[in-house]
Amino acid sequence: MLTFYSDGTRRRRARSELDGGVLVSPYECPERVELVLERVRDVGLGEVREPEAFGLEPVLAVHDRGYVDFLARCWDDWLAEGRTGEAIAWIWPTRTMRDDVIPEHIDGRLGHYALSADTSICEGTFEAAMASKDIALSAVRHTLASGAPSFGLCRPPGHHAARDQFGGYCFFNNAAIAAQQALDRGVARVAILDVDFHHGNGTQEIFFERDDVLFLSLHGDPRTCFPYFLGHADETGRGRGEGFNVNYPLPPGTAFDAWSRALDDALARIRAAGCELLVVSLGVDAFEHDPISAFKLTSDDFTELGRRLAALRLPTTFLLEGGYAVEEIGINAVNVLTGFEAA
């Protein structure tokens, strides 16, 4: 299996994350991809290739131009205010306030475009996000051209990034950008299967009213788990998208037996929908020892996940999302890929 990777993903090294009322070192760090890359090479998964550069046109196919411009300028605008820390939103246009007038001040624009206060913007954030989406685009183009599976070692992750919001460590929605690229190149319908512990709220928002992308997400119940305000089972799409959004909210402590029943239902829906390409938002934070998740999957369970995905017999692109048990992230992510290859 061909892996796409870029050193550009390391350009973002945030120092600050708000967790439990204190600023801590972020769980999302460059070491995550370094460990996955090391494992890819250790098991001989296949060639590791640099991505092509695709510019902003594929990004603007799914993201708002004003939002993209904000991300490109945010760090410089923050520094221009004389700030010495990292850019973190602290006020939002909540239910009692207006959101139709975008403030001029950087603090207001941060609040307008931020989903959550967990994610700071630091030097290199925009450049790393650009590298990450190039990885996703290169991976899906390889799969479309060859029919062979591919792995995009994306960082930052993407599935929390909505059309015009960042958060949950995500800035550009890599899976959405890849799916749209496939549609633009003639694929009639794409399935995006999100197996990250946290709901892919951004991917859902982007495709909620469309029937050319079937989005399915297995995740922690939003009544108790981030992102809290999206991911319920009754969110099934709107208009033409009705029935093309499928959520499987599961309780804390869920182990593979219950998790895999939801997975099997998702796979059956993908078969029934006539999808021509599978994009897997490959979060491995459902792992039993992940520090910010609450499922109980084991490393061997990720191998079985790969086997079951292979049974779909679809052209498949895997894109890295979450996974924060840094010691095991390489093992778990690559177990999915080797399980897929073995099957």
Side-chain angles (χ1 to χ4, degrees):
M1 185 183 299
L2 195 60
T3 294
F4 289 89
Y5 166 77
S6 169
D7 282 340
T9 65
R10 305 186 194 200
R11 296 190 64 178
R12 170 177 165 81
R13 181 179 281 278
R15 303 188 309 273
S16 306
E17 175 178 339
L18 187 61
D19 181 32
V22 297
L23 289 175
V24 301
S25 296
Y27 294 102
E28 203 294 296
C29 57
E31 288 75 15
R32 297 173 61 245
V33 290
E34 292 167 10
L35 286 164
V36 178
L37 184 63
E38 180 181 356
R39 185 67 175 178
V40 164
R41 289 172 170 155
D42 284 349
V43 305
L45 185 68
E47 180 187 353
V48 178
R49 185 178 295 179
E50 282 278 333
E52 297 179 53
F54 294 95
L56 282 174
E57 183 177 354
V59 175
L60 294 171
V62 299
H63 287 293
D64 172 71
R65 181 176 290 276
Y67 168 68
V68 174
D69 290 344
F70 159 78
L71 288 179
R73 295 170 44 198
C74 178
W75 183 241
D76 288 340
D77 290 350
W78 180 259
L79 293 179
E81 291 292 326
R83 306 288 173 76
T84 58
E86 294 178 324
I88 301 175
W90 58 272
I91 186 167
W92 285 266
T94 54
R95 289 188 301 273
T96 58
M97 302 177 77
R98 293 181 62 174
D99 66 356
D100 60 320
V101 180
I102 302 174
E104 296 179 6
H105 194 278
I106 185 60
D107 288 341
R109 281 186 284 127
L110 272 166
H112 180 82
Y113 289 116
L115 170 76
S116 54
D118 63 331
T119 304
S120 64
I121 290 181
C122 64
E123 183 179 10
T125 293
F126 183 76
E127 292 78 8
M130 290 288 284
S132 191
K133 62 84 180 171
D134 283 339
I135 289 168
L137 286 165
S138 295
V140 78
R141 284 200 176 197
H142 172 75
T143 295
L144 291 172
S146 66
S150 61
F151 175 41
L153 190 39
C154 296
R155 179 187 180 264
H159 70 150
H160 292 307
R163 188 183 65 86
D164 62 354
Q165 281 188 306
F166 73 93
Y169 315 132
C170 302
F171 302 93
F172 292 152
N173 194 307
N174 302 312
I177 291 168
Q180 185 62 53
Q181 180 74 182
L183 296 169
D184 292 344
R185 295 173 75 87
V187 173
R189 178 170 291 148
V190 178
I192 301 178
L193 177 64
D194 192 326
V195 296
D196 192 283
F197 171 78
H198 303 96
H199 178 248
N201 59 283
T203 314
Q204 172 171 311
E205 187 263 349
I206 288 168
F207 294 117
F208 200 64
E209 298 184 9
R210 293 171 54 172
D211 61 2
D212 52 358
V213 173
L214 173 65
F215 175 64
L216 313 100
S217 178
L218 286 68
H219 53 268
D221 192 322
R223 292 176 297 178
T224 59
C225 302
F226 182 92
Y228 298 110
F229 302 106
L230 215 59
H232 297 279
D234 63 354
E235 297 158 12
T236 57
R238 182 183 301 118
R240 290 180 58 184
E242 178 61 44
F244 288 88
N245 193 91
V246 187
N247 286 323
Y248 299 90
L250 299 166
T254 293
F256 189 70
D257 283 350
W259 191 89
S260 65
R261 287 193 292 272
L263 173 67
D264 288 343
D265 185 82
L267 299 181
R269 290 174 183 263
I270 292 170
R271 291 187 188 98
C275 298
E276 298 175 356
L277 174 75
L278 174 64
V279 175
V280 181
S281 276
L282 183 57
V284 292
D285 47 358
F287 182 55
E288 58 185 339
H289 299 307
D290 194 278
I292 57 173
S293 307
F295 286 171
K296 299 300 179 183
L297 272 63
T298 68
S299 293
D300 287 344
D301 293 335
F302 288 106
T303 304
E304 177 60 22
L305 167 60
R307 293 193 190 104
R308 296 196 190 192
L309 293 175
L312 285 174
R313 299 188 179 277
L314 284 174
T316 303
T317 292
F318 296 89
L319 303 177
L320 186 67
E321 297 283 2
Y324 309 102
V326 174
E327 290 297 322
E328 295 89 358
I329 184 175
I331 294 170
N332 295 337
V334 177
N335 276 6
V336 178
L337 308 177
T338 56
F340 184 94
E341 292 272 78

